[in-house]
Amino acid sequence: MPESSAGAHLQDQLEVLIQDFRTSTEPPMPVFVVHAQESADDDAVAGLVRQLYTGQEAHGTRCAVVQDAYEGPTEVRRAAALVRALSDPKKWGGPRAVYRRYAFPRLRLVHAIDDAVAALGDSWPAPAPGSPEAGQDQRQLLLNQLAQQRWRPRNAARWHSGLPLFDMAHILPASLVTVLAALLARSEWYVAVGAGLVFLLLLTVLNYVLPGRAPIFLWLRRESRWFMTTTFLRAADQDEPTEVSLLRPVRSWKAIAARAYDVAEALKAGGDFHLQLCVLALREDLRDNHRRWSWDLRGFKRPRPPMLFLPHADARNGGIELIRAVSDVRSRRSELDPLLVVAAVRALDVPRLERSVVQTAPDPDPVPPKFGERLRTWYREWAHNLRAEQSPSRERSVLPWVMKIPLPHDQLGPVEERRRHLRASTRPTLARLVWALHTLVLVIAVLATGTVMRSDALHDRYCSASLLTANRDTRRATAPGGGTECIGIATDGVRFADWLPEPAPGDEVGAQTAAGEDRPWTVAELEDRIARQNADVLARHPGRYVTVVYAGPLSADPADGSSLVKGAEELAGVYLAQAVVNENSSVKLRVLIANGGVDLRHQERMAEAIAAYAAHDPTVVGVIGTGRDLKSSRATTRTLMEAGLPVVSGTNSATYLPREFANWFSLAATDEWQTRQLGLIAAQLRTPGRRQYALVLARDTARTDDLYTDEQARYGGEMLRRQGFTLLDRRRYELSGGTPELRSHAQEICRGERVPSVIYFAGRVEDVDPLMTQLGTEPGCARRPLAILTGDDLSKADFTSGGQSVAPKVTLYHAALAELEKAATGTAFYLDAAEHLPGLAGRRLRYDSPALASGQTALAHDATRALFWAATRDDRPQSRASTWVDLRNVKIEGMATGTIDFTRAPLYGDRTGHSIVLKQVRRSRDGTSEVHVLCRRTAGDTAPLTREECRIR
């Protein structure tokens, strides 16, 4: 601490100013000039300034002290060299200084131009006639020299902390924006980081490696903006631009070049301009270093103003000229700056500072006040008179920002006895604690952890996700067998085929095929072709298309491939309809694909995704599919109805859906109507006057969502009872590892006293072979004729190629939903399929071709064509509501199953005109199965089937 009495009082005054600065009152910071009243005390005054410097450095103030003399031909030049030395951040602040070092970009820019002028030599900008430089553009010479210096002072350090000093304030944010843009586009994190690194490398090459050019983003630098906006510099040529703009780099560059040339000419001319420009730049840099509302809140983190100490301000080091320049520049500018200067001058040099605010010594008081009181009074008077002293009408001899403090000999002695010195608050500011590097590291760590956790959660929940975002139209779900399936509506490049397991080696069917070599297309091929059709529709026919959603089972079950077979065959029909429509219609068809999982177990979630998507896409006019009757079918249909979406199903035979929902349209004959037709066969199996037993054998659905089986069992039992059979108790078999447990049921059925002659089988096609195996080996049934009746699920069985078989004494009767043979002569369906479906090019297709024989593809095709017809009435795209209404006016001939006619469909009632086939399957003498069609109706034919027509063989 100061050892003299005057030093202690000065230190207290400095701390008062620091406290005011800390509390954001922005006190004016004077240039304290201390001098001895007697020349003999000059060295003591210089020592006092050094003591003040030591005390402030101990308090953590950012201090710079001038100890050396600087070279220069004039005192002004030496003062400019002094200011140049102050542009080194190491000159400011010792180990106790808080926050990071100062930056002086504006002052360095002035030095860069000064160095460029010096490098061009004495002949610039007026070279001697006949010299090589005489014919050159002098402005361009200056710009070339600045480019070689990278617009930095010559011999300035280019490396700091291992990083090149080249516009990192702009290059790094630009690279970060690139990374964020890639992440928001749902790219993988390594793609985003790679894009940012490539962009960073490119900008680095453009900015640093290429020689002889100005740095990239020069016009965005803060020193360039100051350079162009400060009123201290004279305006550039009126023909040149005078402002910088973020979006106009070329114009901004021309403005900077013009201003640099003007400043260089002024620097070359010499005079006070150079020193004052340096002081102005230093002042603006210090203001910026203490700007509170900056991105890093640095002004709040630096609560003590910077201080410059001049123990010997004289002509040798230019200190006196510096003091004069500081006062002059402050008088010309209207903003306050934080620099506080404490200088000591010799008593003989005081007149060089002209007169100050304290013009004459006050009259002596009866009791002279102490020095500390006088010092505070002088400061109040100086601050009070500051505004008037800066008036342009005042004499030029006034230095209004200089506060001279004469020090009597008695105040330079030992310090007065006192308990403690004043010290401004040392409590860390809130900004330093909250908005600091350690806080940033903590926040980054928390954000990084949260981002990783969120990314993991997004990847665990959604099918397509990046680091920050996800496609919320599809979600992950657990598949049978412990795998993962993708549920929802596919948008933005999502492919359900990507979630199907790879086929095992030697597996001819494969996980992604429809059903082996007879159905050569894969789900992946169909999705790709639909995507190409959609892209063409959006690109070439905006506003002239409608969108339908296919909703089906597009997930694989390792234990049962029939669900994926159904989905692949239906999807093929939807794509075929899209290809034909887009080839022949002015209004185009866009198809979106939705997956409800294996056997549509997640169809409620799928319906919610479809409804959510349709809410913001008015082109979606309806849904195709939902082809399984499940316990969730009511909720699914209700969700779609509330979204205003009609549903046209090809294969869902639920009886209750058309009776309960006005938006439900199906091509499939209902379960109740099917069993009534099967009753024509059951009547022929009944011997009048004789008790005959019948049995309903159904799959257990207690732990499943299956409702089709329950409906088949219920309606089948009612039909048998109406035909006069004595019904035995209904039996339900369970599945174990995907295989039906039928052995115990076969034993009880065949070995009992009441052996049924007719069994209504309410099961799935995959359970037929195990059932036939048990009935063919059980003694009570193996040699006794037995008839089995069942519903339309058996239409997927392949009896002709050996896929399924029947027991020797068993005759199987089943219904099928698609009558293809009779309708084949009036449709172009098979020609279109050979042309458009993958893997069928060059084949001659028929109604019994294995790829199409099940009818799933035909029904999906017809359903899509019917919905498109309703959505494009009068050859214009219709709204969703209009499509729903127009569906009841649909009547289309020439379809794969006949005539699709909804005109006779009553609201909340059963319609007629379904396609239906009743088939008989028997064992032939060579052990194969023979299939006979008993009777049939194409779609649109409302004539009822008769017993005579359906006579069994």
Side-chain angles (χ1 to χ4, degrees):
M1 296 303 295
E3 298 176 358
S4 65
S5 176
H9 290 297
L10 282 170
Q11 190 74 277
D12 288 347
Q13 183 62 44
L14 294 179
E15 291 298 322
V16 169
L17 288 175
I18 291 171
Q19 184 61 39
D20 291 343
F21 181 82
R22 181 187 179 98
T23 56
S24 73
T25 57
E26 294 188 353
M29 296 297 181
V31 178
F32 286 112
V33 174
V34 294
H35 62 90
Q37 291 182 342
E38 301 175 6
S39 298
D41 294 328
D42 286 341
D43 291 339
V45 172
L48 180 146
V49 172
R50 294 191 187 95
Q51 294 171 18
L52 293 175
Y53 165 73
T54 302
Q56 286 301 318
E57 189 178 40
H59 288 176
T61 304
R62 290 186 177 271
C63 304
V65 60
V66 177
Q67 303 278 15
D68 304 323
Y70 294 93
E71 298 181 357
T74 64
E75 188 175 351
V76 171
R77 271 299 197 181
R78 289 193 290 274
L82 188 158
V83 177
R84 178 170 188 143
L86 295 176
S87 66
D88 183 1
K90 296 179 181 179
K91 291 283 188 181
W92 298 84
R96 292 179 177 270
V98 298
Y99 201 47
R100 54 192 175 92
R101 288 176 175 173
Y102 283 152
F104 298 95
R106 298 164 185 81
L107 190 53
R108 287 168 60 85
L109 176 60
V110 174
H111 296 333
I113 298 175
D114 187 37
D115 288 347
V117 171
L120 291 174
D122 296 334
S123 61
W124 187 90
S131 64
E133 294 81 6
Q136 300 183 28
D137 185 352
Q138 300 303 305
R139 175 183 294 184
Q140 192 59 45
L141 286 176
L142 174 68
L143 296 179
N144 291 341
Q145 179 60 37
L146 285 171
Q148 291 181 8
Q149 297 175 199
R150 309 296 298 164
W151 287 69
R152 302 294 188 193
R154 298 184 70 181
N155 302 321
R158 293 190 175 186
W159 296 87
H160 177 68
S161 301
L163 291 175
L165 299 175
F166 55 79
D167 291 330
M168 296 305 291
H170 300 295
I171 292 180
L172 285 179
S175 304
L176 181 60
V177 168
T178 304
V179 172
L180 292 177
L183 289 177
L184 292 176
R186 291 200 297 277
S187 300
E188 296 292 340
W189 67 268
Y190 52 84
V191 175
V193 173
L197 291 177
V198 169
F199 193 69
L200 176 63
L201 179 62
L202 176 63
L203 293 181
T204 303
V205 170
L206 293 176
N207 186 79
Y208 188 72
V209 176
L210 298 180
R213 60 176 303 280
I216 197 169
F217 298 131
L218 174 64
W219 81 99
L220 296 181
R221 287 177 171 177
R222 52 184 171 175
E223 61 267 32
S224 298
R225 294 194 298 271
W226 165 80
F227 195 54
M228 296 306 301
T229 56
T230 178
T231 58
F232 186 85
L233 301 176
R234 67 184 177 90
D237 189 345
Q238 295 301 314
D239 295 334
E240 297 286 352
T242 58
E243 61 181 358
V244 293
S245 172
L246 175 65
L247 302 179
R248 306 183 73 175
V250 175
R251 181 181 178 89
S252 302
W253 162 248
K254 291 180 180 180
I256 294 173
R259 181 61 56 85
Y261 183 75
D262 287 342
V263 171
E265 284 187 320
L267 292 178
K268 184 69 175 180
D272 294 341
F273 175 77
H274 185 189
L275 175 59
Q276 293 195 355
L277 180 59
C278 290
V279 170
L280 173 65
L282 173 66
R283 172 183 179 275
E284 294 299 325
D285 281 331
L286 290 175
R287 289 182 69 243
D288 187 53
N289 282 306
H290 282 269
R291 187 161 54 91
R292 298 197 170 192
W293 298 112
S294 55
W295 70 270
D296 57 350
L297 303 180
R298 51 184 173 268
F300 289 103
K301 299 176 185 178
R302 292 166 173 160
R304 303 177 76 88
M307 294 188 186
L308 174 61
F309 292 91
L310 301 171
H312 294 283
D314 53 22
R316 192 167 55 93
N317 59 16
I320 292 180
E321 285 298 328
L322 174 60
I323 293 172
R324 295 169 61 90
V326 169
S327 182
D328 290 342
V329 170
R330 283 179 169 177
S331 296
R332 294 182 60 177
R333 310 300 293 174
S334 60
E335 306 94 345
L336 295 172
D337 66 78
L339 179 63
L340 199 157
V341 181
V342 180
V345 299
R346 292 177 299 180
L348 295 177
D349 290 332
V350 173
R352 296 191 59 196
L353 295 175
E354 307 299 339
R355 62 187 179 87
S356 75
V357 175
V358 184
Q359 301 179 16
T360 59
D363 296 333
D365 295 329
V367 180
K370 294 183 178 180
F371 180 78
E373 296 177 3
R374 284 183 287 163
L375 181 60
R376 289 190 292 273
T377 301
W378 290 344
Y379 176 79
R380 286 193 297 269
E381 292 179 357
W382 171 84
H384 177 74
N385 297 327
L386 180 61
R387 178 165 45 184
E389 294 296 338
Q390 292 186 99
S391 173
S393 62
R394 288 283 181 169
E395 300 178 18
R396 291 180 177 270
S397 59
V398 175
L399 295 179
W401 285 89
V402 174
M403 178 177 171
K404 293 189 299 182
I405 303 174
L407 299 179
H409 177 76
D410 61 342
Q411 292 296 321
L412 296 175
V415 66
E416 299 176 1
E417 292 294 333
R418 51 191 303 184
R419 291 184 298 177
R420 58 189 294 271
H421 294 284
L422 291 179
R423 182 175 181 179
S425 174
T426 58
R427 183 180 69 256
T429 61
L430 182 63
R432 183 181 169 192
L433 296 175
V434 176
W435 192 252
L437 181 60
H438 61 272
T439 307
L440 178 62
V441 171
L442 178 61
V443 170
I444 290 176
V446 172
L447 288 177
T449 303
T451 300
V452 171
M453 294 176 63
R454 175 173 172 78
S455 177
D456 289 342
L458 291 176
H459 281 82
D460 289 343
R461 183 179 303 173
Y462 299 104
C463 304
S464 175
S466 65
L467 188 62
L468 298 176
T469 61
N471 180 341
R472 298 176 184 271
D473 294 328
T474 50
R475 290 174 174 256
R476 296 184 180 216
T478 301
T484 302
E485 54 186 343
C486 184
I487 306 300
I489 181 170
T491 58
D492 296 335
V494 173
R495 296 287 188 273
F496 293 119
D498 296 339
W499 296 84
L500 298 176
E502 295 293 334
D507 182 5
E508 296 181 356
V509 177
Q512 297 187 43
T513 61
E517 59 184 7
D518 290 335
R519 298 170 183 86
W521 60 77
T522 65
V523 173
E525 290 174 330
L526 295 173
E527 285 188 302
D528 289 342
R529 294 198 176 198
I530 290 174
R532 287 197 293 271
Q533 289 275 345
N534 291 343
D536 181 73
V537 168
L538 294 175
R540 300 175 57 189
H541 306 280
R544 292 286 297 173
Y545 69 90
V546 294
T547 303
V548 301
V549 180
Y550 165 70
L554 293 174
S555 297
D557 184 356
D560 176 19
S562 64
S563 177
L564 181 58
V565 169
K566 176 182 178 64
E569 292 187 349
E570 289 183 338
L571 186 60
V574 174
Y575 163 67
L576 178 58
Q578 181 188 31
V580 172
V581 163
N582 289 344
E583 192 176 74
N584 299 284
S585 176
S586 61
V587 180
K588 305 302 178 181
L589 177 61
R590 173 171 168 250
V591 174
L592 296 179
I593 305 172
N595 180 27
V598 175
D599 288 334
L600 289 177
R601 295 172 183 173
H602 300 288
Q603 67 171 346
E604 285 187 78
R605 187 182 299 177
M606 174 190 69
E608 292 169 357
I610 295 173
Y613 178 84
H616 58 80
D617 186 352
T619 68
V620 177
V621 294
V623 176
I624 305 294
T626 63
R628 284 189 180 271
D629 183 15
L630 305 173
K631 296 174 183 177
S632 58
S633 293
R634 278 189 174 90
T636 297
T637 309
R638 183 177 295 106
T639 297
L640 297 175
M641 181 185 68
E642 291 172 352
L645 293 169
V647 182
V648 182
S649 179
T651 59
N652 193 325
S653 57
T655 303
Y656 59 91
L657 289 176
R659 297 176 180 176
E660 297 180 11
F661 297 98
N663 67 321
W664 180 262
F665 301 83
S666 180
L667 307 188
T670 63
D671 294 324
E672 184 179 18
W673 190 80
Q674 285 183 52
T675 55
R676 285 207 303 266
Q677 312 315 306
L678 287 172
L680 299 175
I681 296 174
Q684 300 176 59
L685 298 174
R686 176 78 174 91
T687 302
R690 177 184 171 188
R691 172 171 290 196
Q692 286 182 261
Y693 296 103
L695 173 71
V696 176
L697 178 62
R699 180 189 279 196
D700 186 12
T701 60
R703 290 177 292 179
T704 70
D705 198 26
D706 184 13
L707 195 56
Y708 168 82
T709 297
D710 293 341
E711 284 217 325
Q712 284 282 322
R714 178 160 64 92
Y715 293 125
E718 292 175 357
M719 178 270 295
L720 292 174
R721 188 176 290 108
R722 284 197 305 269
Q723 297 301 329
F725 289 91
T726 301
L727 282 182
L728 301 176
D729 292 340
R730 182 184 300 178
R731 290 183 171 272
R732 288 192 177 271
Y733 62 90
E734 296 181 350
L735 297 181
S736 177
T739 303
E741 296 181 340
L742 290 166
R743 182 174 180 178
S744 60
H745 292 286
Q747 290 176 350
E748 294 177 8
I749 291 171
C750 298
R751 296 181 185 181
E753 297 180 357
R754 298 180 295 179
V755 178
S757 60
V758 176
I759 296 177
Y760 193 92
F761 180 65
R764 294 290 185 179
V765 63
E766 57 268 23
D767 301 339
V768 170
D769 274 348
L771 175 64
M772 293 299 175
T773 299
Q774 297 300 328
L775 295 179
T777 57
E778 191 60 38
C781 294
R783 300 182 180 276
R784 180 180 299 180
L786 179 63
I788 297 180
L789 305 178
T790 187
D792 61 84
D793 199 62
L794 266 290
S795 62
K796 295 180 289 186
D798 184 11
F799 292 105
T800 58
S801 301
Q804 277 85 18
S805 63
V806 295
K809 292 292 184 177
V810 173
T811 303
L812 178 66
Y813 302 93
H814 73 86
L817 297 178
E819 201 320 286
L820 301 179
E821 181 179 359
K822 193 173 181 180
T825 58
T827 183
F829 172 76
Y830 301 98
L831 294 177
D832 293 335
E835 179 182 355
H836 295 290
L837 288 180
L840 296 180
R843 291 196 188 185
R844 182 180 179 184
L845 299 177
R846 289 165 36 94
Y847 63 89
D848 56 354
S849 297
L852 305 172
S854 69
Q856 305 276 335
T857 301
L859 288 166
H861 166 272
D862 290 359
T864 306
R865 295 289 296 271
L867 181 56
F868 176 78
W869 189 96
T872 56
R873 190 175 182 180
D874 300 328
D875 205 25
R876 290 182 300 178
Q878 301 295 308
S879 67
R880 195 175 301 162
S882 297
T883 300
W884 186 343
V885 173
D886 289 341
L887 269 170
R888 299 198 178 274
N889 297 318
V890 168
K891 186 175 184 180
I892 316 175
E893 297 188 1
M895 295 293 98
T897 59
T899 300
I900 307 304
D901 186 2
F902 291 148
T903 59
R904 299 176 182 175
L907 194 62
Y908 302 112
D910 299 334
R911 76 178 183 92
T912 58
H914 298 291
S915 174
I916 189 70
V917 182
L918 299 184
K919 294 182 179 182
Q920 179 189 65
V921 185
R922 284 180 172 176
R923 173 76 70 91
S924 63
R925 292 182 179 181
D926 60 1
T928 60
S929 299
E930 295 179 348
V931 179
H932 301 283
V933 175
L934 299 180
C935 52
R936 73 188 85 193
R937 287 286 183 273
T938 58
D941 188 348
T942 59
L945 294 173
T946 64
R947 177 172 175 176
E948 180 63 25
E949 187 179 4
C950 300
R951 184 169 57 87
I952 63 177
R953 302 183 181 185

